[in-house]
Amino acid sequence: VFILAVMVIMAFLPTGGNAAAKSFVDPSKKYTYTQLGKDIKELQQQYPDIVKVKTIGKSEYGRNIYAVGLGKGSAKVFINGSHHAREWMTTSLNMELIDQYTAAYKGNKKIGGYNVKSLLNSSTLWFVPMVNPDGVTLQQQGLNAFPKSTHSSLIKMNNGSKNFKRWKANAKGIDLNRQYNAGWSAIKNSPKSPSYKNYKGKTPESAKEVKAIVSFVNEVKPEMAIAYHSSGEILYWNYKQNATNKKRDLVYAK
């Protein structure tokens, strides 16, 4: 599993000419929920032997939450992006990883010194590239992407502004990254009502998006999880491990 983690870090670096197959993802442009669906469909059609696609749930406004499985093996890693709406570049990263891995697999190439075909024949990387499709759509497209009946409440949650570029939450005003039942009751600086950021919700794991992720993780039972965010330049890894696991995870983190 540690080798797989290294692959994840290395995959978006220059590959030294290793990738030869057609690219299906353009990470240089605004990456939308609609584009995500198109790219996932193309990748599955091109690589049906190693790409699996599941809809693991629906967002609060009915958008699909997609999971993409890459590989054939029993060892599993879970990678995700866009818990926070304004951090949708992490969806681009997830999809670019899938694009590069599939190309390297087909061409029997290496990434970061590792043979991708060998690794993906013995393991499966599960991606949820866009955990928060409603929030991403609101941040990118604004009020017009949502029913008029919701506009006043969305503006209120955005402190009166019609500019949603700073939006982090889902479209119900819940910060999905603060929704998990992991120290939820101890979270500080949570607004008292739904907001564009930081509101943890009335109860843990109540948002539809988080329910979908928790159910999926319980189904897949990954050996490692990596959640990408787009600010901070820091790796959070130490959370209530026992002594043995803490020593192990420090190696992974380094």
Coordinates of all heavy atoms in Angstrom, one line a residue, residues 38-94:
K38 N -18.6 13.3 -18.6 CA -18.1 12.9 -19.9 C -16.8 12.2 -19.9 O -16.6 11.2 -20.6 CB -18.0 14.2 -20.8 CG -19.3 14.9 -21.1 CD -19.1 16.1 -21.9 CE -20.5 16.8 -22.2 NZ -20.2 18.1 -23.0
D39 N -15.8 12.7 -19.1 CA -14.5 12.1 -19.1 C -14.5 10.7 -18.5 O -13.8 9.8 -18.9 CB -13.5 13.0 -18.3 CG -13.2 14.2 -19.0 OD1 -13.4 14.3 -20.3 OD2 -12.6 15.2 -18.4
I40 N -15.3 10.5 -17.4 CA -15.5 9.2 -16.8 C -16.0 8.2 -17.8 O -15.5 7.1 -18.0 CB -16.4 9.3 -15.6 CG1 -15.6 9.9 -14.4 CG2 -16.8 7.9 -15.2 CD1 -16.5 10.2 -13.2
K41 N -17.0 8.6 -18.6 CA -17.6 7.7 -19.6 C -16.6 7.3 -20.7 O -16.5 6.2 -21.1 CB -18.8 8.4 -20.2 CG -19.6 7.5 -21.2 CD -20.8 8.3 -21.8 CE -21.6 7.4 -22.8 NZ -22.8 8.1 -23.3
E42 N -15.8 8.3 -21.1 CA -14.8 8.0 -22.2 C -13.7 7.1 -21.7 O -13.3 6.2 -22.4 CB -14.2 9.3 -22.6 CG -15.1 10.2 -23.6 CD -14.3 11.3 -24.3 OE1 -13.3 11.7 -23.8 OE2 -14.8 11.7 -25.3
L43 N -13.3 7.3 -20.4 CA -12.2 6.5 -19.9 C -12.7 5.0 -19.7 O -12.0 4.1 -19.9 CB -11.7 7.0 -18.5 CG -10.9 8.3 -18.7 CD1 -10.8 9.0 -17.3 CD2 -9.5 7.9 -19.1
Q44 N -14.0 4.9 -19.2 CA -14.5 3.5 -19.1 C -14.7 2.8 -20.4 O -14.4 1.6 -20.5 CB -15.9 3.6 -18.4 CG -16.5 2.2 -18.0 CD -17.8 2.3 -17.4 OE1 -18.6 3.2 -17.7 NE2 -18.1 1.4 -16.5
Q45 N -15.1 3.6 -21.4 CA -15.2 3.0 -22.8 C -13.9 2.6 -23.4 O -13.8 1.5 -24.0 CB -16.0 3.9 -23.7 CG -17.4 4.1 -23.4 CD -18.1 5.2 -24.2 OE1 -17.4 6.0 -24.9 NE2 -19.4 5.2 -24.2
Q46 N -12.9 3.4 -23.1 CA -11.5 3.1 -23.7 C -10.8 2.0 -22.9 O -10.1 1.2 -23.5 CB -10.7 4.4 -23.6 CG -9.3 4.3 -24.2 CD -9.4 4.1 -25.7 OE1 -10.3 4.5 -26.4 NE2 -8.3 3.6 -26.3
Y47 N -11.0 1.9 -21.6 CA -10.3 0.9 -20.8 C -11.3 0.1 -20.0 O -11.2 0.1 -18.7 CB -9.3 1.7 -19.8 CG -8.4 2.6 -20.5 CD1 -8.6 4.0 -20.5 CD2 -7.3 2.1 -21.2 CE1 -7.7 4.8 -21.1 CE2 -6.4 2.9 -21.8 CZ -6.6 4.3 -21.8 OH -5.7 5.2 -22.4
P48 N -12.1 -0.7 -20.6 CA -13.2 -1.4 -19.9 C -12.6 -2.6 -19.0 O -13.2 -3.0 -18.1 CB -14.1 -2.0 -21.0 CG -13.2 -2.0 -22.2 CD -12.3 -0.9 -22.1
D49 N -11.3 -2.9 -19.3 CA -10.7 -4.1 -18.6 C -10.2 -3.6 -17.2 O -10.1 -4.4 -16.3 CB -9.6 -4.7 -19.4 CG -8.5 -3.6 -19.8 OD1 -8.9 -2.5 -20.0 OD2 -7.4 -4.0 -20.0
I50 N -9.9 -2.3 -17.0 CA -9.4 -1.9 -15.7 C -10.2 -0.7 -15.1 O -9.9 -0.3 -13.9 CB -7.9 -1.5 -15.8 CG1 -7.7 -0.4 -16.9 CG2 -7.0 -2.7 -16.1 CD1 -6.3 0.3 -16.8
V51 N -11.1 -0.1 -15.8 CA -11.9 1.0 -15.2 C -13.3 0.6 -14.9 O -14.0 0.1 -15.8 CB -11.9 2.2 -16.2 CG1 -12.8 3.3 -15.7 CG2 -10.5 2.8 -16.4
K52 N -13.7 0.7 -13.7 CA -15.1 0.5 -13.2 C -15.7 1.8 -12.7 O -15.0 2.6 -12.1 CB -15.1 -0.5 -12.1 CG -14.4 -1.9 -12.4 CD -14.4 -2.8 -11.2 CE -13.4 -2.4 -10.1 NZ -12.0 -2.7 -10.6
V53 N -17.0 2.0 -13.0 CA -17.6 3.2 -12.6 C -18.9 2.9 -11.8 O -19.7 2.0 -12.2 CB -18.0 4.1 -13.8 CG1 -18.7 5.3 -13.3 CG2 -16.7 4.5 -14.6
K54 N -19.1 3.5 -10.7 CA -20.3 3.4 -9.9 C -20.8 4.7 -9.5 O -20.1 5.7 -9.3 CB -20.0 2.6 -8.6 CG -19.4 1.2 -8.8 CD -19.1 0.5 -7.5 CE -20.3 0.4 -6.6 NZ -20.0 -0.4 -5.3
T55 N -22.1 4.8 -9.4 CA -22.8 6.0 -8.7 C -23.1 5.6 -7.3 O -23.9 4.7 -7.1 CB -24.0 6.4 -9.5 OG1 -23.7 6.8 -10.8 CG2 -24.7 7.6 -8.8
I56 N -22.3 6.2 -6.4 CA -22.4 5.7 -5.0 C -23.5 6.5 -4.2 O -23.7 6.2 -3.0 CB -21.1 5.8 -4.3 CG1 -20.6 7.3 -4.2 CG2 -20.1 4.9 -5.0 CD1 -19.4 7.4 -3.3
G57 N -24.1 7.5 -4.8 CA -25.1 8.2 -4.1 C -25.5 9.5 -4.9 O -24.9 9.7 -6.0
K58 N -26.4 10.3 -4.4 CA -26.8 11.5 -5.0 C -26.5 12.7 -4.0 O -26.6 12.5 -2.8 CB -28.3 11.5 -5.3 CG -28.7 10.4 -6.3 CD -28.5 10.8 -7.7 CE -29.2 9.8 -8.7 NZ -29.0 10.2 -10.1
S59 N -26.2 13.8 -4.6 CA -26.0 15.0 -3.8 C -27.4 15.5 -3.3 O -28.4 15.0 -3.6 CB -25.3 16.1 -4.6 OG -26.3 16.6 -5.6
E60 N -27.3 16.5 -2.4 CA -28.6 17.1 -1.9 C -29.5 17.6 -3.0 O -30.7 17.6 -2.8 CB -28.2 18.2 -0.9 CG -27.5 17.8 0.3 CD -28.4 17.2 1.4 OE1 -29.7 17.1 1.1 OE2 -27.9 16.6 2.4
Y61 N -28.9 18.0 -4.1 CA -29.8 18.4 -5.3 C -29.8 17.4 -6.4 O -30.1 17.8 -7.6 CB -29.3 19.8 -5.7 CG -29.7 20.9 -4.8 CD1 -29.0 21.3 -3.7 CD2 -31.0 21.6 -5.0 CE1 -29.4 22.3 -2.9 CE2 -31.4 22.6 -4.2 CZ -30.6 22.9 -3.1 OH -31.0 23.9 -2.2
G62 N -29.5 16.2 -6.1 CA -29.7 15.1 -7.1 C -28.6 14.9 -8.1 O -28.8 14.1 -9.0
R63 N -27.4 15.5 -7.9 CA -26.3 15.2 -8.8 C -25.6 13.9 -8.4 O -25.5 13.6 -7.2 CB -25.3 16.3 -8.9 CG -25.9 17.6 -9.5 CD -24.9 18.8 -9.4 NE -25.5 19.9 -10.2 CZ -26.3 20.8 -9.7 NH1 -26.7 20.7 -8.4 NH2 -26.8 21.8 -10.4
N64 N -25.1 13.2 -9.4 CA -24.5 11.9 -9.1 C -23.1 12.1 -8.4 O -22.4 13.0 -8.7 CB -24.2 11.1 -10.4 CG -25.5 10.6 -11.1 OD1 -26.5 10.3 -10.4 ND2 -25.5 10.4 -12.4
I65 N -22.9 11.2 -7.5 CA -21.5 11.1 -6.9 C -20.9 9.9 -7.4 O -21.3 8.8 -7.1 CB -21.6 11.1 -5.3 CG1 -22.3 12.3 -4.8 CG2 -20.2 11.0 -4.7 CD1 -22.7 12.2 -3.3
Y66 N -19.9 10.1 -8.3 CA -19.3 9.0 -9.0 C -18.1 8.4 -8.3 O -17.3 9.2 -7.7 CB -18.8 9.5 -10.4 CG -19.8 9.9 -11.3 CD1 -20.0 11.3 -11.6 CD2 -20.7 9.0 -11.9 CE1 -21.0 11.7 -12.5 CE2 -21.7 9.5 -12.8 CZ -21.8 10.8 -13.1 OH -22.8 11.3 -14.0
A67 N -17.9 7.1 -8.3 CA -16.7 6.4 -7.9 C -16.1 5.7 -9.1 O -16.8 5.1 -9.9 CB -17.0 5.4 -6.8
V68 N -14.8 5.9 -9.3 CA -14.1 5.2 -10.4 C -13.1 4.3 -9.8 O -12.2 4.7 -9.1 CB -13.4 6.3 -11.3 CG1 -12.7 5.6 -12.5 CG2 -14.4 7.3 -11.8
G69 N -13.2 3.0 -10.1 CA -12.3 2.0 -9.7 C -11.2 1.7 -10.8 O -11.6 1.5 -11.9
L70 N -10.0 1.8 -10.4 CA -8.9 1.6 -11.4 C -8.0 0.4 -10.9 O -7.3 0.5 -9.9 CB -8.1 2.9 -11.5 CG -6.9 2.9 -12.5 CD1 -7.4 2.5 -13.9 CD2 -6.2 4.2 -12.5
G71 N -8.1 -0.7 -11.7 CA -7.2 -1.8 -11.3 C -8.1 -3.1 -11.1 O -9.3 -3.1 -11.2
K72 N -7.4 -4.2 -10.8 CA -8.0 -5.5 -10.8 C -7.7 -6.3 -9.5 O -8.3 -7.3 -9.2 CB -7.4 -6.4 -11.9 CG -7.7 -5.9 -13.3 CD -7.0 -6.8 -14.4 CE -7.3 -6.3 -15.8 NZ -6.7 -7.2 -16.8
G73 N -6.9 -5.7 -8.6 CA -6.5 -6.4 -7.4 C -7.3 -6.2 -6.2 O -8.2 -5.4 -6.1
S74 N -6.9 -7.0 -5.1 CA -7.7 -6.9 -3.9 C -7.2 -5.9 -2.9 O -8.0 -5.4 -2.0 CB -7.6 -8.3 -3.2 OG -6.3 -8.7 -2.9
A75 N -6.0 -5.4 -3.0 CA -5.5 -4.3 -2.2 C -6.1 -3.0 -2.6 O -6.1 -2.7 -3.8 CB -4.0 -4.2 -2.2
K76 N -6.7 -2.3 -1.7 CA -7.5 -1.1 -2.1 C -7.0 0.2 -1.5 O -6.7 0.2 -0.3 CB -9.0 -1.3 -1.8 CG -9.6 -2.5 -2.5 CD -11.1 -2.6 -2.2 CE -11.7 -3.8 -2.9 NZ -11.2 -5.1 -2.4
V77 N -7.0 1.3 -2.3 CA -6.7 2.6 -1.8 C -7.9 3.5 -2.2 O -8.5 3.4 -3.3 CB -5.4 3.1 -2.4 CG1 -5.2 4.6 -2.0 CG2 -4.3 2.3 -1.9
F78 N -8.3 4.4 -1.3 CA -9.4 5.4 -1.6 C -8.8 6.8 -1.7 O -8.2 7.3 -0.8 CB -10.4 5.3 -0.5 CG -11.6 6.3 -0.6 CD1 -12.2 6.5 -1.8 CD2 -12.0 7.0 0.5 CE1 -13.2 7.4 -2.0 CE2 -13.0 7.9 0.4 CZ -13.6 8.1 -0.8
I79 N -9.1 7.4 -2.9 CA -8.6 8.8 -3.2 C -9.8 9.6 -3.5 O -10.7 9.2 -4.3 CB -7.6 8.7 -4.3 CG1 -6.4 7.8 -4.0 CG2 -7.1 10.1 -4.6 CD1 -5.6 7.3 -5.2
N80 N -9.8 10.8 -3.0 CA -11.0 11.7 -3.3 C -10.6 13.2 -3.5 O -9.5 13.5 -3.1 CB -12.1 11.5 -2.3 CG -11.7 11.9 -0.9 OD1 -11.4 13.1 -0.6 ND2 -11.6 10.9 0.0
G81 N -11.5 14.0 -4.0 CA -11.3 15.4 -4.1 C -12.6 16.2 -4.0 O -13.7 15.6 -4.0
S82 N -12.4 17.5 -3.9 CA -13.6 18.4 -3.9 C -14.5 18.2 -2.8 O -15.8 18.2 -3.0 CB -14.3 18.4 -5.3 OG -13.5 19.1 -6.2
H83 N -14.0 17.9 -1.6 CA -14.9 18.0 -0.4 C -15.4 19.5 -0.3 O -16.5 19.8 0.0 CB -14.2 17.6 0.9 CG -14.3 16.2 1.3 ND1 -13.5 15.2 0.7 CD2 -15.2 15.6 2.1 CE1 -13.9 14.1 1.3 NE2 -14.9 14.3 2.1
H84 N -14.4 20.4 -0.6 CA -14.7 21.8 -0.6 C -15.0 22.3 -2.0 O -14.1 22.1 -2.9 CB -13.6 22.6 0.1 CG -13.6 22.4 1.6 ND1 -12.4 22.2 2.3 CD2 -14.6 22.2 2.5 CE1 -12.7 22.0 3.6 NE2 -14.0 22.1 3.7
A85 N -16.0 23.1 -2.2 CA -16.5 23.5 -3.5 C -15.4 24.3 -4.3 O -15.1 24.0 -5.5 CB -17.7 24.3 -3.4
R86 N -14.8 25.3 -3.6 CA -13.8 26.1 -4.3 C -12.5 25.4 -4.6 O -11.6 26.0 -5.2 CB -13.6 27.4 -3.5 CG -12.8 27.2 -2.2 CD -12.9 28.5 -1.4 NE -12.0 28.4 -0.2 CZ -12.1 29.2 0.9 NH1 -13.0 30.2 0.8 NH2 -11.3 29.1 1.9
E87 N -12.3 24.2 -4.1 CA -11.1 23.4 -4.3 C -11.3 22.4 -5.4 O -10.7 21.3 -5.4 CB -10.7 22.8 -3.0 CG -10.4 23.8 -1.9 CD -10.1 23.2 -0.6 OE1 -9.7 22.0 -0.5 OE2 -10.2 24.0 0.4
W88 N -12.0 22.7 -6.5 CA -12.3 21.8 -7.5 C -11.1 21.4 -8.4 O -11.2 20.4 -9.1 CB -13.5 22.3 -8.4 CG -13.3 23.7 -9.0 CD1 -13.9 24.8 -8.5 CD2 -12.5 24.1 -10.1 NE1 -13.5 25.9 -9.2 CE2 -12.7 25.5 -10.2 CE3 -11.7 23.4 -11.0 CZ2 -12.1 26.2 -11.2 CZ3 -11.1 24.1 -12.0 CH2 -11.3 25.5 -12.1
M89 N -10.0 22.1 -8.2 CA -8.8 21.7 -8.9 C -8.4 20.3 -8.5 O -7.7 19.6 -9.2 CB -7.7 22.7 -8.7 CG -7.1 22.8 -7.3 SD -5.7 23.9 -7.1 CE -4.5 23.1 -8.0
T90 N -8.8 19.9 -7.3 CA -8.5 18.5 -6.8 C -9.3 17.5 -7.6 O -8.8 16.3 -7.7 CB -8.8 18.4 -5.3 OG1 -10.1 18.7 -5.0 CG2 -7.9 19.3 -4.5
T91 N -10.4 17.8 -8.2 CA -11.1 16.9 -9.1 C -10.3 16.8 -10.4 O -10.1 15.7 -10.9 CB -12.5 17.4 -9.4 OG1 -13.3 17.5 -8.3 CG2 -13.2 16.6 -10.5
S92 N -9.7 17.9 -10.9 CA -8.8 17.8 -12.0 C -7.7 16.9 -11.7 O -7.3 16.1 -12.6 CB -8.3 19.2 -12.4 OG -9.3 20.1 -12.7
L93 N -7.1 17.0 -10.5 CA -6.0 16.1 -10.1 C -6.4 14.6 -10.1 O -5.7 13.8 -10.7 CB -5.4 16.5 -8.8 CG -4.4 15.6 -8.2 CD1 -3.2 15.5 -9.1 CD2 -4.0 16.1 -6.8
N94 N -7.5 14.3 -9.5 CA -8.0 12.9 -9.4 C -8.1 12.4 -10.9 O -7.7 11.3 -11.2 CB -9.3 12.9 -8.7 CG -9.3 12.7 -7.3 OD1 -9.7 11.7 -6.7 ND2 -8.7 13.7 -6.6

